[in-house]
């Protein structure tokens, strides 16, 4: 076995058990992954601000495959109305079975998200 492969097998990066992962991301009794966490800061290419609908569309691409989507705004200081409207009004109206749960929002982000949710 190559040394690199041996090292990976002996020193796994993830110390969580399969049960812990299923408990966190699966729907009970269904054994399907129905929840995901999306770090919103990853949509900020080279530190750009989250301003455009196109940025929002890239962020939420394929999240409609999940029942619950936790949008983690940690590290995001502010967003603009068009970005927020695309996620929390346009996407949510088109995908009523997907629950969006924003977390770790600054007061500025929370205000913009609340405005978008109000319609």
């Amino acid at each position: 076995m190559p040394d690199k492969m041996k090292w990976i097998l002996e020193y796994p990066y993830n110390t969580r058990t399969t049960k812990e992962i299923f408990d966190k991301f699966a729907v009970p009794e269904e054994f399907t992954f129905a929840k995901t966490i999306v770090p919103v800061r990853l949509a900020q290419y080279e530190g750009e601000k989250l301003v455009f609908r196109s940025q929002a569309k890239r962020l939420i691409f394929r999240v409609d495959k999940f029942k619950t989507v936790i949008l983690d705004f940690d590290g995001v200081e502010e967003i603009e109305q068009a970005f927020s409207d695309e996620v929390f009004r346009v996407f949510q109206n088109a995908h009523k079975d997907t629950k969006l749960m924003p977390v770790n929002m600054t007061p500025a982000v929370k205000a913009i998200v609340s405005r978008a949710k109000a319609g």
Side-chain angles (χ1 to χ4, degrees):
M1 181 179 330
D3 287 340
K4 185 176 182 180
M5 180 58 80
K6 183 178 177 185
W7 184 85
I8 290 171
L9 293 174
E10 289 179 2
Y11 302 98
Y13 289 92
N14 189 352
T15 58
R16 294 182 290 180
T17 66
T18 304
K19 183 182 180 332
E20 289 172 325
I21 294 169
F22 267 96
D23 288 348
K24 187 171 183 176
F25 294 102
V27 175
E29 289 87 36
E30 288 185 24
F31 300 106
T32 60
F33 286 107
K35 183 193 312 185
T36 190
I37 300 172
V38 178
V40 177
R41 68 176 159 40
L42 296 179
Q44 295 176 303
Y45 180 71
E46 294 185 357
E48 68 187 3
K49 291 185 178 181
L50 298 174
V51 177
F52 303 108
R53 290 182 185 275
S54 60
Q55 292 169 305
K57 288 176 184 177
R58 282 194 307 267
L59 177 73
I60 57 176
F61 181 68
R62 296 185 59 132
V63 300
D64 58 314
K65 308 295 182 208
F66 297 92
K67 290 183 181 180
T68 303
V69 178
I70 299 171
L71 296 168
D72 187 353
F73 282 88
D74 185 42
V76 176
E77 296 300 317
E78 60 185 342
I79 59 174
E80 293 296 326
Q81 187 64 38
F83 178 90
S84 182
D85 184 65
E86 186 65 35
V87 174
F88 294 101
R89 188 185 64 80
V90 176
F91 175 85
Q92 192 65 85
N93 286 340
H95 302 92
K96 300 216 184 271
D97 291 338
T98 302
K99 181 179 179 182
L100 299 178
M101 298 176 54
V103 298
N104 299 322
M105 295 182 289
T106 65
V109 170
K110 194 172 196 174
I112 296 291
V113 168
S114 295
R115 190 176 308 147
K117 284 182 170 185

